Amino acid sequence: MDVELRAVSFRMERVKHKIMIASGKGGVGKSTVAVNLARALQARGFRVGVLDADITGPSTAKLLGVEKARLQAGPGGIEPVDSKGLKVISMAFALSGPDSAVVWRGPMKMAAIKQFLSDVNWGDLDFLIIDLPPGTSDEPLSVVQLLPDLTGAVIVTTPQEVALLDSRKAVNMAKSMKVPILGIVENMSGLRCPHCGELIEIFKTGGGERAAEELSVPFLGAIPLDPEVAPLGDEGIAFVEKGTAAMESFEKVVDGILDQIGEEN
Ligand code: ADP
Protein backbone atom coordinates (compact mmCIF):
# COMPACT_ATOMS: atom_id res chain seq x y z
CA MET A 1 0.00 0.00 0.00
CA ASP A 2 1.34 3.48 -0.79
CA VAL A 3 2.60 5.55 2.13
CA GLU A 4 -0.13 8.18 1.83
CA LEU A 5 -2.91 5.59 1.69
CA ARG A 6 -1.40 3.96 4.76
CA ALA A 7 -1.56 7.34 6.53
CA VAL A 8 -5.26 7.62 5.61
CA SER A 9 -6.03 4.12 6.83
CA PHE A 10 -4.07 4.74 10.05
CA ARG A 11 -6.35 7.70 10.91
CA MET A 12 -9.52 6.15 9.54
CA GLU A 13 -9.13 2.93 11.51
CA ARG A 14 -10.39 4.92 14.48
CA VAL A 15 -13.57 6.00 12.69
CA LYS A 16 -16.28 3.35 12.87
CA HIS A 17 -18.72 4.54 10.19
CA LYS A 18 -17.92 6.71 7.19
CA ILE A 19 -21.04 7.93 5.44
CA MET A 20 -21.08 10.11 2.35
CA ILE A 21 -23.97 12.37 1.49
CA ALA A 22 -24.44 12.80 -2.24
CA SER A 23 -26.90 14.32 -4.67
CA GLY A 24 -27.31 14.44 -8.42
CA LYS A 25 -27.71 18.20 -8.52
CA GLY A 26 -27.12 21.23 -6.31
CA GLY A 27 -29.63 23.04 -4.15
CA VAL A 28 -31.60 19.96 -3.10
CA GLY A 29 -30.54 20.21 0.56
CA LYS A 30 -27.59 17.82 0.58
CA SER A 31 -25.46 19.92 2.93
CA THR A 32 -28.51 20.59 5.11
CA VAL A 33 -29.06 16.83 5.40
CA ALA A 34 -25.35 16.29 6.15
CA VAL A 35 -25.21 18.76 9.05
CA ASN A 36 -28.57 17.71 10.48
CA LEU A 37 -27.54 14.06 10.33
CA ALA A 38 -24.33 14.95 12.17
CA ARG A 39 -26.21 16.90 14.85
CA ALA A 40 -28.92 14.25 15.22
CA LEU A 41 -26.31 11.50 15.69
CA GLN A 42 -24.45 13.68 18.18
CA ALA A 43 -27.70 14.22 20.12
CA ARG A 44 -28.07 10.42 20.29
CA GLY A 45 -24.69 10.19 22.00
CA PHE A 46 -22.40 9.33 19.09
CA ARG A 47 -19.00 10.96 18.51
CA VAL A 48 -19.28 12.65 15.14
CA GLY A 49 -17.01 14.40 12.65
CA VAL A 50 -18.01 16.27 9.50
CA LEU A 51 -15.76 16.42 6.45
CA ASP A 52 -16.77 18.98 3.85
CA ALA A 53 -15.44 17.30 0.72
CA ASP A 54 -16.81 20.06 -1.49
CA ILE A 55 -13.42 21.62 -2.09
CA THR A 56 -14.48 24.35 -4.50
CA GLY A 57 -17.87 25.20 -2.94
CA PRO A 58 -17.67 24.45 0.80
CA SER A 59 -20.84 25.31 2.72
CA THR A 60 -21.03 23.04 5.77
CA ALA A 61 -18.83 25.35 7.89
CA LYS A 62 -21.37 28.13 7.43
CA LEU A 63 -24.28 25.80 8.21
CA LEU A 64 -22.47 24.79 11.41
CA GLY A 65 -21.74 28.38 12.40
CA VAL A 66 -17.94 28.04 12.26
CA GLU A 67 -17.12 29.60 8.89
CA LYS A 68 -14.76 32.13 10.46
CA ALA A 69 -12.50 29.45 12.02
CA ARG A 70 -9.07 28.82 10.56
CA LEU A 71 -7.00 25.63 10.41
CA GLN A 72 -4.51 25.19 13.23
CA ALA A 73 -1.73 22.66 13.57
CA GLY A 74 -1.40 20.75 16.83
CA PRO A 75 0.94 18.00 18.04
CA GLY A 76 -1.35 15.33 16.56
CA GLY A 77 -1.76 16.98 13.16
CA ILE A 78 -4.26 19.53 11.81
CA GLU A 79 -6.83 20.18 14.53
CA PRO A 80 -10.49 19.87 13.45
CA VAL A 81 -12.64 22.89 14.27
CA ASP A 82 -15.09 22.36 17.12
CA SER A 83 -18.75 23.20 16.43
CA LYS A 84 -20.55 22.53 19.72
CA GLY A 85 -18.88 19.13 20.02
CA LEU A 86 -18.79 18.23 16.31
CA LYS A 87 -15.34 17.95 14.72
CA VAL A 88 -15.40 19.82 11.43
CA ILE A 89 -12.97 20.12 8.53
CA SER A 90 -13.66 22.23 5.48
CA MET A 91 -11.71 24.02 2.77
CA ALA A 92 -13.53 27.13 4.06
CA PHE A 93 -11.05 27.14 6.98
CA ALA A 94 -8.16 27.55 4.58
CA LEU A 95 -9.67 30.34 2.49
CA SER A 96 -9.13 34.03 3.18
CA GLY A 97 -12.82 34.95 3.21
CA PRO A 98 -16.32 33.68 2.33
CA ASP A 99 -16.07 35.01 -1.24
CA SER A 100 -12.67 33.48 -2.04
CA ALA A 101 -12.80 30.92 -4.78
CA VAL A 102 -10.80 27.74 -5.18
CA VAL A 103 -10.10 26.89 -8.79
CA TRP A 104 -8.55 23.48 -8.69
CA ARG A 105 -8.41 20.54 -11.00
CA GLY A 106 -9.13 16.95 -10.04
CA PRO A 107 -5.68 15.86 -8.78
CA MET A 108 -5.44 18.85 -6.43
CA LYS A 109 -8.91 18.19 -5.02
CA MET A 110 -7.87 14.57 -4.49
CA ALA A 111 -4.72 15.77 -2.68
CA ALA A 112 -6.77 18.07 -0.42
CA ILE A 113 -9.22 15.30 0.49
CA LYS A 114 -6.35 12.91 1.13
CA GLN A 115 -4.75 15.44 3.45
CA PHE A 116 -8.04 16.04 5.27
CA LEU A 117 -8.33 12.30 5.88
CA SER A 118 -4.72 11.57 6.75
CA ASP A 119 -3.37 14.70 8.48
CA VAL A 120 -6.34 15.74 10.60
CA ASN A 121 -6.40 14.71 14.23
CA TRP A 122 -9.92 13.19 14.06
CA GLY A 123 -9.34 10.94 17.05
CA ASP A 124 -11.90 8.21 17.84
CA LEU A 125 -15.22 8.76 16.08
CA ASP A 126 -18.40 6.74 15.70
CA PHE A 127 -19.31 8.60 12.51
CA LEU A 128 -17.58 10.69 9.88
CA ILE A 129 -20.21 12.41 7.74
CA ILE A 130 -18.77 13.39 4.36
CA ASP A 131 -20.58 16.10 2.46
CA LEU A 132 -19.83 15.76 -1.25
CA PRO A 133 -20.30 18.34 -3.99
CA PRO A 134 -23.32 17.68 -6.24
CA GLY A 135 -23.01 15.43 -9.25
CA THR A 136 -20.52 12.86 -10.33
CA SER A 137 -17.33 14.89 -10.05
CA ASP A 138 -13.78 14.16 -8.86
CA GLU A 139 -14.52 14.33 -5.15
CA PRO A 140 -16.77 11.26 -4.78
CA LEU A 141 -14.27 9.25 -6.76
CA SER A 142 -11.44 10.44 -4.49
CA VAL A 143 -13.40 9.64 -1.34
CA VAL A 144 -14.26 6.16 -2.60
CA GLN A 145 -10.66 5.45 -3.62
CA LEU A 146 -9.28 6.68 -0.32
CA LEU A 147 -11.86 4.94 1.86
CA PRO A 148 -12.28 1.34 0.73
CA ASP A 149 -14.30 0.62 3.87
CA LEU A 150 -16.87 3.37 3.33
CA THR A 151 -20.05 2.44 5.23
CA GLY A 152 -22.28 3.77 2.49
CA ALA A 153 -23.93 6.67 0.69
CA VAL A 154 -27.11 8.59 1.38
CA ILE A 155 -28.59 10.17 -1.75
CA VAL A 156 -30.60 13.36 -1.35
CA THR A 157 -33.13 14.45 -3.95
CA THR A 158 -36.13 16.74 -4.32
CA PRO A 159 -39.36 15.50 -5.89
CA GLN A 160 -39.10 17.23 -9.29
CA GLU A 161 -38.41 14.97 -12.26
CA VAL A 162 -35.18 16.83 -13.13
CA ALA A 163 -33.80 16.22 -9.65
CA LEU A 164 -34.96 12.61 -9.65
CA LEU A 165 -33.29 11.96 -12.97
CA ASP A 166 -30.00 13.26 -11.55
CA SER A 167 -30.44 11.30 -8.33
CA ARG A 168 -30.73 8.10 -10.39
CA LYS A 169 -27.34 8.96 -11.87
CA ALA A 170 -25.93 9.45 -8.36
CA VAL A 171 -27.30 6.06 -7.29
CA ASN A 172 -25.86 4.39 -10.38
CA MET A 173 -22.49 6.06 -9.83
CA ALA A 174 -22.38 4.76 -6.26
CA LYS A 175 -23.43 1.30 -7.47
CA SER A 176 -20.73 1.28 -10.14
CA MET A 177 -18.14 2.13 -7.49
CA LYS A 178 -19.51 -0.68 -5.27
CA VAL A 179 -20.48 1.75 -2.51
CA PRO A 180 -23.39 0.42 -0.44
CA ILE A 181 -26.41 2.71 -0.76
CA LEU A 182 -28.01 3.36 2.59
CA GLY A 183 -30.96 4.97 0.86
CA ILE A 184 -32.66 7.93 -0.79
CA VAL A 185 -34.03 10.93 1.12
CA GLU A 186 -36.70 13.09 -0.52
CA ASN A 187 -36.19 16.64 0.70
CA MET A 188 -38.50 19.65 0.19
CA SER A 189 -41.34 17.16 -0.05
CA GLY A 190 -44.50 19.28 0.22
CA LEU A 191 -45.29 22.15 2.55
CA ARG A 192 -47.58 21.70 5.56
CA CYS A 193 -49.89 24.76 5.72
CA PRO A 194 -49.31 26.36 9.12
CA HIS A 195 -52.97 27.49 9.21
CA CYS A 196 -55.05 24.50 8.11
CA GLY A 197 -52.47 21.68 8.29
CA GLU A 198 -53.08 20.62 4.68
CA LEU A 199 -50.03 19.27 2.76
CA ILE A 200 -49.38 21.49 -0.27
CA GLU A 201 -47.48 19.48 -2.87
CA ILE A 202 -45.37 22.27 -4.36
CA PHE A 203 -43.19 19.95 -6.47
CA LYS A 204 -45.43 16.84 -6.16
CA THR A 205 -44.25 14.22 -3.71
CA GLY A 206 -43.48 10.52 -3.72
CA GLY A 207 -40.95 10.59 -6.57
CA GLY A 208 -38.05 9.73 -4.27
CA GLU A 209 -39.86 6.67 -3.01
CA ARG A 210 -40.70 5.54 -6.54
CA ALA A 211 -37.10 6.10 -7.67
CA ALA A 212 -35.86 4.08 -4.68
CA GLU A 213 -38.22 1.24 -5.58
CA GLU A 214 -37.15 1.26 -9.23
CA LEU A 215 -33.47 1.26 -8.31
CA SER A 216 -33.96 -1.34 -5.55
CA VAL A 217 -32.43 0.84 -2.85
CA PRO A 218 -34.02 1.72 0.52
CA PHE A 219 -36.22 4.80 0.86
CA LEU A 220 -35.22 6.59 4.05
CA GLY A 221 -38.03 9.12 4.23
CA ALA A 222 -39.36 12.49 3.13
CA ILE A 223 -38.55 15.85 4.73
CA PRO A 224 -41.08 18.63 4.18
CA LEU A 225 -40.29 22.15 3.04
CA ASP A 226 -40.06 24.10 6.24
CA PRO A 227 -39.78 27.90 6.21
CA GLU A 228 -37.65 27.75 9.38
CA VAL A 229 -34.88 25.65 7.80
CA ALA A 230 -33.10 28.26 5.63
CA PRO A 231 -32.99 31.10 8.20
CA LEU A 232 -31.69 28.66 10.84
CA GLY A 233 -29.05 27.39 8.39
CA ASP A 234 -27.96 30.97 7.73
CA GLU A 235 -27.44 31.37 11.47
CA GLY A 236 -25.41 28.16 11.68
CA ILE A 237 -28.10 26.20 13.51
CA ALA A 238 -29.30 22.74 12.41
CA PHE A 239 -33.09 22.41 12.36
CA VAL A 240 -32.96 19.22 14.46
CA GLU A 241 -31.69 21.40 17.32
CA LYS A 242 -34.87 23.47 17.21
CA GLY A 243 -37.75 21.00 17.04
CA THR A 244 -39.07 22.39 13.74
CA ALA A 245 -41.67 20.72 11.48
CA ALA A 246 -38.85 19.08 9.53
CA MET A 247 -37.31 17.56 12.64
CA GLU A 248 -39.82 14.78 13.24
CA SER A 249 -39.49 13.52 9.66
CA PHE A 250 -35.72 13.82 9.87
CA GLU A 251 -35.48 11.68 13.00
CA LYS A 252 -37.16 8.86 11.02
CA VAL A 253 -34.49 9.23 8.36
CA VAL A 254 -31.83 8.91 11.08
CA ASP A 255 -33.59 5.78 12.45
CA GLY A 256 -33.54 4.35 8.92
CA ILE A 257 -29.82 4.98 8.47
CA LEU A 258 -28.99 3.43 11.85
CA ASP A 259 -31.14 0.41 10.95
CA GLN A 260 -29.30 0.00 7.66
CA ILE A 261 -25.92 -0.11 9.37
CA GLY A 262 -27.06 -2.22 12.30
CA GLU A 263 -26.32 0.44 14.91
CA GLU A 264 -28.41 0.72 18.09
CA ASN A 265 -30.40 3.95 18.55
P1 ADP B 1 -27.20 21.53 -1.46
O1 ADP B 1 -26.18 21.10 -0.47
O2 ADP B 1 -27.93 20.36 -2.08
O3 ADP B 1 -26.71 22.48 -2.50
P2 ADP B 1 -28.33 23.09 0.72
O4 ADP B 1 -28.33 22.13 1.84
O5 ADP B 1 -27.28 24.15 0.69
O6 ADP B 1 -28.35 22.31 -0.68
O7 ADP B 1 -29.78 23.74 0.68
C1 ADP B 1 -30.14 24.73 -0.27
C2 ADP B 1 -31.07 25.75 0.41
O8 ADP B 1 -32.32 25.14 0.70
C3 ADP B 1 -30.53 26.26 1.74
O9 ADP B 1 -30.84 27.62 1.88
C4 ADP B 1 -31.30 25.44 2.77
O10 ADP B 1 -31.47 26.13 3.99
C5 ADP B 1 -32.63 25.25 2.08
N1 ADP B 1 -33.33 24.01 2.49
C6 ADP B 1 -32.83 22.75 2.52
N2 ADP B 1 -33.74 21.86 2.94
C7 ADP B 1 -34.88 22.58 3.20
C8 ADP B 1 -36.20 22.24 3.68
N3 ADP B 1 -36.53 20.98 3.96
N4 ADP B 1 -37.10 23.27 3.84
C9 ADP B 1 -36.75 24.54 3.53
N5 ADP B 1 -35.53 24.92 3.08
C10 ADP B 1 -34.61 23.96 2.91
Side-chain angles (χ1 to χ4, degrees), residues 25-32 187-188 223-226 229-230:
K25 68 198 268 323
V28 299
K30 173 185 46 58
S31 297
T32 302
N187 188 28
M188 307 192 191
I223 306 164
L225 261 165
D226 177 345
V229 169

Side-chain angles (χ1 to χ4, degrees), residues 162-183:
V162 275
L164 287 166
L165 198 70
D166 286 335
S167 72
R168 287 186 180 94
K169 282 188 205 154
V171 167
N172 286 328
M173 176 191 73
K175 279 185 177 171
S176 71
M177 296 190 296
K178 310 254 180 311
V179 174
I181 294 162
L182 303 178

Side-chain angles (χ1 to χ4, degrees), residues 14-158:
R14 296 170 65 184
V15 178
K16 189 166 178 200
H17 298 291
K18 298 125 185 145
I19 296 180
M20 62 182 198
I21 316 294
S23 69
K25 68 198 268 323
V28 299
K30 173 185 46 58
S31 297
T32 302
V33 167
V35 305
N36 277 279
L37 176 60
R39 280 279 179 239
L41 291 168
Q42 182 193 20
R44 294 183 189 205
F46 294 107
R47 296 163 300 175
V48 186
V50 178
L51 170 63
D52 188 350
D54 192 340
I55 300 299
T56 50
S59 61
T60 42
K62 166 92 183 130
L63 291 172
L64 289 166
V66 287
E67 75 276 17
K68 294 210 174 76
R70 290 292 167 262
L71 290 180
Q72 308 243 327
I78 300 170
E79 284 303 319
V81 168
D82 175 80
S83 166
K84 292 183 278 183
L86 286 180
K87 293 182 175 176
V88 190
I89 280 291
S90 165
M91 201 62 201
F93 305 147
L95 297 176
S96 52
D99 301 326
S100 316
V102 184
V103 188
W104 280 1
R105 290 184 189 278
M108 287 177 75
K109 292 187 197 167
M110 169 87 159
I113 293 174
K114 196 186 275 177
Q115 191 169 13
F116 284 162
L117 292 170
S118 61
D119 294 355
V120 170
N121 186 18
W122 292 104
D124 293 312
L125 291 178
D126 298 306
F127 286 92
L128 181 65
I129 306 298
I130 305 165
D131 187 22
L132 292 174
T136 47
S137 48
D138 298 306
E139 289 89 335
L141 203 63
S142 305
V143 169
V144 173
Q145 282 174 356
L146 292 165
L147 297 175
D149 63 340
L150 205 60
T151 311
V154 171
I155 313 287
V156 183
T157 184
T158 51

Side-chain angles (χ1 to χ4, degrees), residues 189-231:
S189 176
L191 172 73
R192 181 80 51 198
C193 171
H195 305 293
C196 66
E198 191 195 340
L199 187 75
I200 306 163
E201 295 195 353
I202 295 178
F203 308 126
K204 294 195 296 192
T205 58
E209 188 161 13
R210 277 196 304 282
E213 226 167 84
E214 264 170 47
L215 294 160
S216 312
V217 298
F219 180 65
L220 293 166
I223 306 164
L225 261 165
D226 177 345
E228 285 188 78
V229 169

